[in-house]
Amino acid sequence: MGPHETSALTLKSDSDVPEYRDQDRASLRVSKRMPTDLHDIATLSGHRDRITSVAFAPGRNDVVLSSGRDGAIAVWTVFGEESAEAALYRHNAAVRYACFWPDQQGVLFAAEDGSARLVDLESSEETGRFTTVQALLESAQSPTGLVKTVGNTVKVARELVAVVVPLGGLITAATKAGETASPIRHAVVDATLGRVATLAADHTVTLYDLLTGEVIRKWSVPADDRSRLAFAAGSLIVAGANKLLLLDETLDKPGASQRPTRSAIRGMIQLDANRIATYDASKTFTVWDAERRATVGSFKAPAQPAHACLCGKDRVLIADSGRRVAVLPIAGHAETSMYEADAGKVRAIAASDDGSRIAIAGDELKLRILGAPSD
């Protein structure tokens, strides 16, 4: 996409789902700058129900994707601080998650009707579609688990709960409604090692081979609903309760655990190939180096994070349980103020790869684009 081209996304509408009329299409209101280190760039509107996910295009800070419970998937292109354009279309079920394909030529979205679809942005054609019915017809196994690689459907289920996009493939972690199998709460992929890991609600971690879909190892681990997975320095890490657990695929039992904090861990984000950061009930971020297997730093947030993501190479974007967000330096030692998001309760956040812009979505159906402070 060129710098002044509008991203195009067209879904094949079902007959019972009307397309957006011209007056219903996306609109833009440009806000005045606010006297804060986070400054307004644009307020985008067009969704009719809660926004469920936001994402910047890889390597871009002017192209943002959003999905909503209204079934809408929007690709927004923001020009400077004065105008924006968007393509906004609707699926026939609530969309829980959407992201750009790594080559930026497609958009992947997962919906509550059990479908995961990949749409090519250039041709507006679907290049991959996965449904519960197809999975049940094509597989005798329980459709709890994975959908691997486009064009090679293995398993999928009615309620998609996690989607991971490695280079060149599609991984969907899911659970089938009514099955006794436990819902999958989180999934991660390491394309270099060719591994996929899932964490189920019954605290079972399953490691799969990325190419074959075969189970390599299963572990039962101490975890809770907030527990998350990460691959770092070749290790599979589980963060939950107040400890980090290292899993080795050659061993049947979980390896040694680390206790980076005394408070309950509320979440985890990946900083780079070797480092992760956990945040806990004391509002503390703890940075842990998996290669050195040691804690290498910590910093405090001004409020309890409800959502967090990496913002550039050395900062973290957080949102509290209300309407406020902040950008924190990983090195710490800097006072940071919270910014009133003016979008209702924050439901989804994202940051561009270079950390120069952030996107915030809330209950008021607004998508806010903000400029982050320079280092």
Side-chain angles (χ1 to χ4, degrees):
M1 290 182 293
H4 298 293
E5 294 176 359
T6 302
S7 302
L9 174 62
T10 302
L11 299 183
K12 298 176 182 177
S13 302
D14 295 284
S15 58
D16 59 339
V17 181
E19 294 183 347
Y20 283 108
R21 300 184 299 272
D22 289 342
Q23 61 266 34
D24 293 330
R25 294 182 67 81
S27 62
L28 167 76
R29 177 173 62 80
V30 177
S31 304
K32 295 181 179 179
R33 287 178 177 271
M34 301 294 289
T36 178
D37 53 353
L38 288 173
H39 60 273
D40 285 342
I41 290 178
T43 300
L44 308 166
S45 60
H47 284 279
R48 297 172 175 176
D49 202 343
R50 179 185 299 169
I51 296 173
T52 55
S53 71
V54 293
F56 280 89
R60 301 284 295 269
N61 68 4
D62 59 340
V63 179
V64 184
L65 178 70
S66 62
S67 67
R69 292 187 58 82
D70 56 353
I73 305 99
V75 179
W76 313 85
T77 303
V78 180
F79 305 124
E81 299 180 6
E82 297 181 355
S83 63
E85 294 178 356
L88 180 60
Y89 300 88
R90 185 163 57 173
H91 180 53
N92 62 343
V95 177
R96 298 189 60 169
Y97 175 88
C99 66
F100 287 97
W101 201 248
D103 61 7
Q104 301 184 50
Q105 300 304 308
V107 167
L108 167 70
F109 71 91
E112 288 188 358
D113 62 357
S115 67
R117 306 189 188 196
L118 179 65
V119 177
D120 184 88
L121 288 175
E122 185 71 25
S123 65
S124 300
E125 295 292 328
E126 288 184 9
T127 57
R129 181 187 290 199
F130 315 91
T131 68
T132 304
V133 174
Q134 290 173 345
L136 291 174
L137 289 175
E138 297 172 7
S139 175
Q141 298 177 332
S142 167
T144 298
L146 302 174
V147 175
K148 76 175 182 66
T149 66
V150 174
N152 184 12
T153 303
V154 179
K155 307 169 191 173
V156 74
R158 181 174 301 170
E159 185 180 3
L160 300 172
V161 294
V163 178
V164 182
V165 185
L167 292 176
L170 164 65
I171 300 297
T172 307
T175 181
K176 181 189 175 192
E179 288 283 337
T180 56
S182 183
I184 293 174
R185 299 301 189 196
H186 195 223
V188 291
V189 63
D190 188 321
T192 303
L193 295 177
R195 297 290 185 263
V196 180
T198 62
L199 174 62
D202 64 0
H203 306 164
T204 298
V205 174
T206 305
L207 185 68
Y208 298 87
D209 184 281
L210 179 60
L211 297 178
T212 67
E214 297 296 323
V215 175
I216 297 172
R217 189 76 64 185
K218 285 188 177 184
W219 301 271
S220 180
V221 300
D224 54 35
D225 290 343
R226 297 178 182 271
S227 296
R228 290 294 181 264
L229 302 172
F231 282 107
S235 298
L236 176 59
I237 300 171
V238 183
N242 66 339
K243 66 175 63 175
L244 297 177
L245 198 63
L246 277 68
L247 303 182
D248 186 329
E249 67 179 72
T250 65
L251 302 176
D252 290 329
K253 295 184 178 180
S257 63
Q258 304 286 330
R259 293 181 178 269
T261 176
R262 295 181 180 179
S263 299
I265 294 175
R266 297 291 184 87
M268 174 173 61
I269 57 177
Q270 187 122 21
L271 302 179
D272 53 38
N274 294 325
R275 297 181 304 158
I276 62 170
T278 62
Y279 51 98
D280 60 38
S282 70
K283 303 185 292 186
T284 300
F285 279 82
T286 303
V287 181
W288 194 74
D289 189 306
E291 188 171 41
R292 295 164 56 184
R293 301 205 171 187
T295 298
V296 294
S298 64
F299 57 96
K300 275 270 193 181
Q304 180 63 58
H307 309 280
C309 67
L310 188 63
C311 183
K313 294 182 178 180
D314 53 7
R315 296 185 297 179
V316 169
L317 169 65
I318 72 162
D320 67 10
S321 58
R323 299 167 174 256
R324 301 183 303 165
V325 296
V327 175
L328 314 176
I330 292 174
H333 312 299
E335 290 194 14
T336 305
S337 299
M338 299 295 289
Y339 175 87
E340 192 74 19
D342 189 28
K345 183 177 181 179
V346 176
R347 298 292 183 176
I349 59 174
S352 60
D353 289 344
D354 62 4
S356 64
R357 289 184 177 179
I358 65 176
I360 308 162
D363 281 346
E364 294 182 3
L365 315 187
K366 299 176 182 177
L367 177 61
R368 301 285 305 282
I369 309 298
L370 303 176
S374 351
D375 294 333

